[in-house]
């Protein structure tokens, strides 16, 4: 098609972050685009789980990232893209609402800044509502028949993409069956979505609109600074003055009125570096929630890792090890030559850990303290079991018992002769293994990280 590949933007790509509903991993998608000379990509999952991975992977390969969100309004699909940073923030709001309840028209009237809307054929009833809100609204079609039913609306071809190559379509149905808890026998669901390909000739009339969407979406994520939370110090003291006050108090409590010069010098040295690197608030925040735990019958560990080399941490009772007694180096913990966040490993009693989190939320605000999402994946043994259930195959422990969970299915196959013999002797097991290879590593479900918390100065 000559230079056409340079211009076309596939507009409706679902990734593995549409959990158990797409075969496309973000890195594979970006690599496919690079190999096929596609200069811009979109993702339109019903969440923003993959947005940052997608954004950064695209930039690495000089591909333009366009971040979208699939929204369900009254059981009808609408697609929104972020035109700019404000649009991305609107997407975050809508994504958060959608994770908690159904989106309403009122939500779309509230969070529309910086967004571009696309109305699929089956959702045309909302077109008039949307053009009153959004400066840029397009209708989409997937066939000649759909296109012919429109009159004067701005049109784009938008094929839902859930795998990269045509030969992968047979695996999508298996993935749906894993998601829905069905077997191949009781599932009547045909996979929706197609491979990533260029549209055929009759769809090229609307390439200008496709390109207009590309030019309108200019989202860039600025690297924000000064996001560390601020500790509210008493008596209008600044964070450095208050931190210094607490450390001097700690010196007297631990060593009495006569403190040796080496401790005073070490404290001055550490405080100077902490102050210059801008981490006074950091230490005050950690000191505060550790103090809360210790005064509320919550067990706290003695401190691990390089933080044990900090006298400031010891004087604040964050750690319980005197670093000078054991000649521990502060530079391993905090080094002005290598600008990085201090890393203080703290162990809280597991059955009371949530109390510390709740304390931080109450002190710094519900919208400034957030848990971290984690994703479980279809790992080697899990994917074998899931696919076997869908195929209604029994006896798969013969396979799983031979697998080393630390290796991929392909690595297991290449390095395990018993496994190779078993698969070569049984066509059903071989089919099971081939399907599992195609699905291995896809995101399966979400959960909340047991200990990871993000705290921020802003909402």
């Amino acid at each position: 098609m000559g230079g056409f590949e340079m211009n076309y933007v596939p507009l409706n790509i679902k990734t593995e972050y549409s959990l158990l509903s797409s075969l496309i991993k973000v890195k594979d998608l970006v690599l496919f685009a690079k190999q096929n000379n596609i200069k811009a990509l979109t993702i339109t999952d019903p969440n923003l789980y993959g947005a940052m991975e997608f954004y950064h992977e695209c930039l690495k390969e000089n591909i333009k990232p366009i971040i979208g969100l699939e929204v369900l309004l009254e059981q009808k699909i609408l697609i929104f893209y972020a035109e700019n940073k404000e649009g991305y923030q609107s997407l975050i709001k809508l994504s958060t609402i959608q994770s908690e309840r159904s989106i309403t028209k009122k939500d779309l009237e509230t969070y529309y800044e910086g967004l571009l809307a696309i109305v699929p054929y089956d959702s045309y009833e909302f077109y008039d509502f949307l053009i009153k809100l959004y400066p840029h609204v397009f209708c989409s079609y997937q066939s000649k028949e759909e296109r012919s039913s429109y009159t004067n609306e701005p049109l784009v071809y938008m094929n839902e993409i859930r795998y990269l190559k045509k030969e992968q379509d047979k695996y999508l149905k298996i993935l749906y069956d894993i998601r829905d808890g069905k077997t191949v026998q009781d599932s009547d669901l045909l996979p929706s979505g197609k491979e990533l390909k260029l549209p055929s000739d009759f769809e090229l009339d609307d390439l200008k609109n496709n390109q207009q969407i590309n030019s309108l979406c200019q989202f860039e994520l600025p690297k924000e600074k000064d996001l560390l939370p601020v500790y509210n110090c008493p008596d209008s003291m600044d964070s450095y003055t208050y931190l210094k006050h607490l450390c001097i108090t700690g010196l007297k409590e631990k060593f009495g009125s006569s403190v040796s010069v080496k401790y005073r010098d070490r404290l001055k040295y550490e405080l100077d570096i902490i102050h210059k690197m801008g981490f006074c608030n950091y230490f005050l925040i950690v000191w505060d929630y550790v103090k809360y735990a210790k005064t509320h019958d919550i067990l706290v560990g003695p401190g691990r890792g390089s933080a044990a080399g900090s006298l400031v941490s010891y004087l604040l009772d964050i750690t319980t090890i005197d670093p000078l007694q054991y000649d521990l180096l502060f530079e391993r913990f905090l080094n002005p030559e290598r600008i990085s966040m201090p890393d203080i490993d703290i162990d809280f009693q597991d059955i009371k850990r949530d109390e510390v989190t709740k304390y931080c939320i109450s002190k710094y605000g519900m919208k400034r303290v957030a848990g971290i999402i984690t994703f479980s994946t279809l790992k080697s043994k899990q994917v074998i079991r899931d696919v076997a259930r869908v195929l209604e195959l029994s006896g798969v422990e013969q396979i799983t018992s031979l697998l080393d969970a630390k290796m991929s299915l392909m690595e297991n196959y290449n390095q395990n002769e018993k496994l190779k013999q078993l698969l070569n002797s049984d066509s059903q097991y071989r089919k099971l293994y081939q399907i599992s290879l195609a699905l291995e590593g896809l995101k399966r479900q979400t959960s909340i990280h047991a200990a990871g918390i993000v705290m921020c100065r802003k909402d």
Side-chain angles (χ1 to χ4, degrees):
M1 293 194 183
F4 175 66
E5 298 93 324
M6 301 271 298
N7 299 319
Y8 176 66
V9 182
L11 289 176
N12 191 10
I13 301 174
K14 299 293 187 288
T15 74
E16 63 172 332
Y17 290 99
S18 293
L19 301 176
L20 299 180
S21 301
S22 169
L23 297 169
I24 299 175
K25 296 174 183 174
V26 169
K27 287 186 178 180
D28 294 342
L29 170 64
V30 174
L31 179 62
F32 182 92
K34 182 182 179 182
Q35 291 171 340
N36 288 275
N37 207 24
I38 297 171
K39 299 299 183 184
L41 284 173
T42 64
I43 55 169
T44 56
D45 297 311
N47 54 61
L48 295 178
Y49 296 158
M52 286 301 97
E53 182 187 356
F54 171 73
Y55 179 82
H56 291 296
E57 286 296 324
C58 283
L59 293 188
K60 266 194 240 174
E61 300 298 345
N62 201 28
I63 292 168
K64 180 178 177 179
I66 299 174
I67 295 175
L69 179 72
E70 179 182 281
V71 167
L72 212 56
L73 178 65
E74 297 172 14
Q75 300 305 306
K76 299 281 187 172
I77 291 172
L78 299 171
I79 302 289
F80 296 98
Y81 297 124
E83 292 187 1
N84 46 42
K85 183 189 172 186
E86 289 71 29
Y88 180 64
Q89 291 173 322
S90 296
L91 289 187
I92 289 173
K93 289 288 188 182
L94 293 174
S95 177
T96 301
I97 293 168
Q98 187 157 258
S99 72
E100 296 168 347
R101 59 169 173 81
S102 298
I103 293 278
T104 65
K105 284 185 176 180
K106 179 68 176 173
D107 296 324
L108 298 183
E109 289 169 341
T110 305
Y111 303 111
Y112 65 90
E113 291 286 340
L115 291 182
L116 177 152
I118 296 189
V119 183
Y121 177 79
D122 290 337
S123 306
Y124 182 74
E125 64 196 80
F126 295 116
Y127 179 71
D128 289 339
F129 163 70
L130 292 173
I131 56 175
K132 293 173 186 174
L133 289 176
Y134 300 88
H136 305 113
V137 181
F138 298 83
C139 289
S140 72
Y141 63 91
Q142 295 190 69
S143 66
K144 287 180 181 178
E145 291 71 30
E146 288 182 3
R147 191 186 190 287
S148 64
S149 68
Y150 290 110
T151 51
N152 296 316
E153 300 86 350
L155 302 180
V156 287
Y157 172 75
M158 192 172 75
N159 178 29
E160 188 177 63
I161 298 159
R162 293 182 183 267
Y163 48 89
L164 295 175
K165 298 176 182 176
K166 178 63 181 170
E167 58 268 26
Q168 294 176 307
D169 62 348
K170 58 183 176 289
Y171 302 125
L172 190 60
K173 184 177 185 303
I174 301 289
L175 192 65
Y176 284 178
D177 288 339
I178 292 173
R179 180 192 68 193
D180 299 334
K182 294 187 175 183
T183 68
V184 285
Q185 298 301 319
D186 64 13
S187 169
D188 56 359
L189 186 67
L190 291 173
S192 65
K194 296 178 182 175
E195 78 272 24
L196 179 46
K197 68 183 179 84
L198 301 175
S200 51
D201 290 341
F202 78 88
E203 296 144 355
L204 296 185
D205 295 344
D206 304 307
L207 181 60
K208 286 182 181 178
N209 287 338
N210 182 288
Q211 277 304 290
Q212 186 186 1
I213 291 171
N214 185 8
S215 62
L216 286 168
C217 295
Q218 300 292 340
F219 167 64
E220 289 185 18
L221 186 72
K223 186 80 171 176
E224 295 203 47
K225 297 179 180 178
D226 300 324
L227 293 178
L228 278 175
V230 175
Y231 184 80
N232 188 18
C233 301
D235 304 323
S236 300
M237 277 191 269
D238 61 68
S239 58
Y240 172 69
T241 304
Y242 189 50
L243 179 61
K244 184 178 177 182
H245 163 74
L246 291 173
C247 289
I248 291 170
T249 303
L251 265 183
K252 291 175 182 175
E253 287 176 354
K254 292 186 186 300
F255 302 105
S257 55
S258 59
V259 180
S260 69
V261 174
K262 71 173 184 176
Y263 279 91
R264 290 202 300 268
D265 289 349
R266 174 68 169 257
L267 177 58
K268 183 181 185 306
Y269 169 71
E270 289 193 16
L271 284 172
D272 284 347
I273 290 178
I274 291 167
H275 183 43
K276 284 175 185 172
M277 294 181 73
F279 292 131
C280 292
N281 276 303
Y282 179 98
F283 277 87
L284 290 173
I285 290 163
V286 176
W287 160 77
D288 181 63
Y289 65 65
V290 170
K291 184 181 72 166
Y292 172 83
K294 290 183 175 180
T295 55
H296 286 77
D297 197 31
I298 300 170
L299 294 175
V300 182
R304 286 185 290 114
S306 60
S310 166
L311 179 63
V312 169
S313 297
Y314 176 57
L315 298 178
L316 295 176
D317 283 329
I318 293 170
T319 60
T320 61
I321 297 115
D322 178 352
L324 275 71
Q325 184 180 344
Y326 299 101
D327 296 323
L328 301 178
L329 297 174
F330 178 71
E331 289 76 13
R332 286 191 59 197
F333 171 61
L334 205 56
N335 191 331
E337 301 297 317
R338 191 183 75 248
I339 301 293
S340 60
M341 287 280 289
D343 181 17
I344 301 177
D345 297 309
I346 298 171
D347 298 301
F348 292 113
Q349 186 177 357
D350 57 351
I351 59 172
K352 294 185 177 181
R353 182 167 45 208
D354 63 318
E355 293 179 32
V356 184
T357 304
K358 287 174 183 174
Y359 170 73
C360 291
I361 290 170
S362 69
K363 190 170 183 75
Y364 299 99
M366 173 66 78
K367 294 189 176 184
R368 298 188 177 191
V369 181
I372 299 172
I373 197 168
T374 60
F375 299 93
S376 59
T377 60
L378 289 169
K379 293 189 172 70
S380 55
K381 292 188 179 186
Q382 179 70 55
V383 72
I384 290 285
R385 293 189 187 104
D386 280 335
V387 175
R389 182 193 55 74
V390 170
L391 298 179
E392 299 183 281
L393 272 180
S394 59
V396 292
E397 59 275 3
Q398 288 185 72
I399 297 176
T400 56
S401 64
L402 294 172
L403 295 178
D404 182 342
K406 294 177 183 176
M407 295 194 294
S408 68
L409 288 175
M410 186 56 75
E411 287 170 337
N412 272 285
Y413 179 79
N414 289 332
Q415 296 180 34
N416 190 322
E417 281 304 317
K418 282 187 179 179
L419 177 64
K420 201 174 284 188
Q421 289 169 12
L422 175 64
L423 298 179
N424 289 338
S425 65
D426 190 309
S427 60
Q428 290 287 80
Y429 284 166
R430 193 159 59 250
K431 178 184 177 184
L432 163 67
Y433 210 83
Q434 286 170 341
I435 294 171
S436 299
L437 275 168
L439 305 184
E440 184 183 18
L442 291 171
K443 304 282 188 291
R444 192 180 196 279
Q445 61 194 42
T446 64
S447 59
I448 297 173
H449 193 287
I453 300 293
V454 174
M455 298 170 66
C456 187
R457 183 174 301 191
K458 301 179 181 179
D459 287 354

